[in-house]
Amino acid sequence: MHLYLHIPFCKQACHYCDFHFSTNLSQKSALIEAIGQELVLQKEYLPTTHLDTIYFGGGTPSLLTETELGYLFDVIHQHFTVSDTAEITLEANPDDLTADKLAVLHQYVNRLSIGLQTFNEDALRWMNRAHTATEAEQCVRLARDAGFDNLSIDLIYGIPPLRDGGHIWQYDLERALSLGVPHMSAYALTIEPDTVFGRWTKKGQLKPIDENLAADHFEQLTSALKSAGYEHYEISNFAKPGHYARHNTAYWQQHPYLGLGPSAHSYNGHSRQFNVANNARYVQAIVTGTVPADLEVLTLSDRVNEYLLTGLRTQWGCSVDQLNSLLGADFVQKQATELADLQQKGWLQPQTNLLRLTEAGKLFADRVAASLFV
């Protein structure tokens, strides 16, 4: 089983981010205590109490103090058993990763996912990141010195040309590969309405993202990382052999997981649960013994469509036998026209018992999945 904890606090707001977070840290201790209380309330949500992965996301979980981490792990170990080989991941920002902080984190977690995003100073300032390019590289060395071998870094592509003439992405790839980390995640820059970039775009102060530029960057990414020995095992994720993100892979393979904290999601195979995305309302509900969540019972069509949406993003694709079992009918026969069209476009590999994207199809993963929805 798998446990996710959402830590909804950041030092400052990145201009592109629409995840749930707050830059007001005054209620952090109260909210962390509420997450521990929610774990007790939700301890029977999963089929078993044995955990194979734990993931601290956000927000910025590297803002957690030693006391707060200790409290959360005390509660986890009181109510769950954690595998001796569990993957325990914490998302971190480079500016938090001092030698002292890394020594604390190493007591609790064995994998760091570090939000580097770019090595370009202008781009970091433009996106309102809190760290510098120097810190981005230095923190990886410090993490290794602290004993972390299982490291992942996040990158953003599709950044428009700034003052350097537009060679940001090539430089970012070169610097990222020079670090030699075993896992990388790379995401296209997107402009969401309720962000600084979204408001700039609405006012005409920022041009929409150039989709052709983003596609070119994606192709550079996949080529460079494949040549460097990384496996492209999910649309946005690349790993050296044996270093897949086990927690995120559980999501893509539709394993049950429990999400704690405001805005966190949970899934048990038959329904999804969505916690309220409001810190104050979350704490107020939890202290009364209520989990402030909406429940969605999944229909047969929901389960088929979710399998398509997640499975097609991975190198494992979607099993036709599993689709037939979920649907209770012959999926290939039912979607014959759409499948033929996707194969004719060169987006879907022509395999009988497995639906997998081609390299070209990876640029259109969500569109391919949606065209096959039932």
Side-chain angles (χ1 to χ4, degrees):
M1 298 296 105
H2 310 276
L3 180 67
Y4 173 83
L5 300 93
H6 188 78
I7 310 301
F9 298 101
C10 292
K11 291 178 182 175
Q12 60 193 51
C14 299
H15 288 344
Y16 55 83
C17 182
D18 71 338
F19 291 141
H20 171 65
F21 68 93
S22 172
T23 56
N24 180 354
L25 307 186
S26 62
Q27 298 301 309
K28 181 158 73 83
S29 295
L31 193 137
I32 298 306
E33 184 174 346
I35 289 176
Q37 293 171 339
E38 186 193 356
L39 184 147
V40 178
L41 294 172
Q42 297 263 59
K43 63 184 179 181
E44 296 180 358
Y45 179 85
L46 296 173
T48 76
T49 58
H50 184 77
L51 297 177
D52 296 303
T53 70
I54 301 171
Y55 194 103
F56 290 81
T60 311
S62 51
L63 291 176
L64 290 172
T65 66
E66 182 172 8
T67 299
E68 290 164 345
L69 275 169
Y71 163 72
L72 290 172
F73 274 99
D74 283 346
V75 179
I76 290 170
H77 286 290
Q78 286 171 20
H79 299 282
F80 291 87
T81 59
V82 180
S83 169
D84 291 339
T85 59
E87 175 194 85
I88 306 175
T89 303
L90 182 136
E91 293 180 352
N93 278 350
D95 45 298
D96 294 327
L97 297 180
T98 63
D100 288 344
K101 185 57 176 276
L102 284 160
V104 169
L105 294 177
H106 195 252
Q107 299 175 54
Y108 297 98
V109 305
N110 53 33
R111 182 176 184 270
L112 292 179
S113 178
I114 308 174
L116 302 188
Q117 316 309 357
T118 177
F119 298 91
N120 182 280
E121 294 288 2
D122 288 338
L124 287 169
R125 287 192 293 270
W126 179 67
M127 294 189 293
N128 202 40
R129 294 291 293 168
H131 69 275
T132 66
T134 298
E135 288 173 322
E137 298 201 44
Q138 182 184 46
C139 71
V140 174
R141 176 181 60 79
L142 290 173
R144 285 199 173 103
D145 290 345
F148 284 99
D149 297 318
N150 200 356
L151 296 171
S152 179
I153 60 173
D154 284 0
L155 300 172
I156 292 178
Y157 62 88
I159 297 172
L162 300 175
R163 287 187 292 178
D164 76 341
H167 302 293
I168 295 172
W169 184 234
Q170 185 60 44
Y171 179 74
D172 281 349
L173 282 175
E174 292 171 359
R175 299 313 306 155
L177 287 169
S178 74
L179 297 175
V181 296
H183 190 283
M184 293 192 208
S185 300
Y187 304 96
L189 178 65
T190 56
I191 297 178
E192 303 293 346
D194 192 24
T195 64
V196 170
F197 280 170
R199 291 187 283 276
W200 285 359
T201 301
K202 186 175 181 180
K203 294 177 182 178
Q205 298 170 341
L206 178 64
K207 293 181 180 179
I209 298 300
D210 184 337
E211 293 186 2
N212 291 327
L213 177 69
D216 288 344
H217 285 184
F218 182 77
E219 291 173 354
Q220 291 177 44
L221 168 73
T222 56
S223 176
L225 268 61
K226 181 179 180 180
S227 297
Y230 290 83
E231 298 177 14
H232 190 187
Y233 72 103
E234 194 272 344
I235 292 296
S236 301
N237 288 274
F238 304 78
K240 292 291 182 69
H243 286 89
Y244 298 161
R246 288 163 50 194
H247 184 88
N248 290 338
T249 298
Y251 293 160
W252 302 321
Q253 296 183 339
Q254 298 189 306
H255 296 174
Y257 59 89
L258 171 61
L260 305 174
S263 81
H265 295 182
S266 302
Y267 169 73
N268 63 8
H270 304 285
S271 66
R272 291 198 179 277
Q273 192 168 286
F274 309 88
N275 284 2
V276 63
N278 181 288
N279 290 359
R281 288 171 56 195
Y282 171 81
V283 172
Q284 289 166 5
I286 292 296
V287 297
T288 66
T290 302
V291 178
D294 291 328
L295 181 70
E296 177 189 8
V297 177
L298 300 175
T299 66
L300 181 147
S301 294
D302 290 334
R303 294 169 65 193
V304 171
N305 295 344
E306 287 199 7
Y307 179 52
L308 287 165
L309 189 64
T310 56
L312 283 172
R313 294 184 61 88
T314 72
Q315 67 177 1
W316 303 287
C318 292
S319 161
V320 171
D321 288 342
Q322 186 164 343
L323 286 165
N324 291 345
S325 177
L326 287 169
L327 188 61
D330 189 325
F331 179 85
V332 171
Q333 183 179 46
K334 183 176 180 63
Q335 304 295 72
T337 301
E338 289 78 8
L339 289 167
D341 179 59
L342 293 169
Q343 290 180 1
Q344 192 275 329
K345 288 177 177 175
W347 294 353
L348 204 62
Q349 294 181 11
Q351 297 178 343
T352 305
N353 295 316
L354 189 66
L355 304 184
R356 293 178 61 193
L357 297 174
T358 62
E359 285 300 311
K362 290 176 181 177
L363 287 167
F364 307 99
D366 290 347
R367 190 187 305 181
V368 172
S371 71
L372 294 173
F373 282 174
V374 297

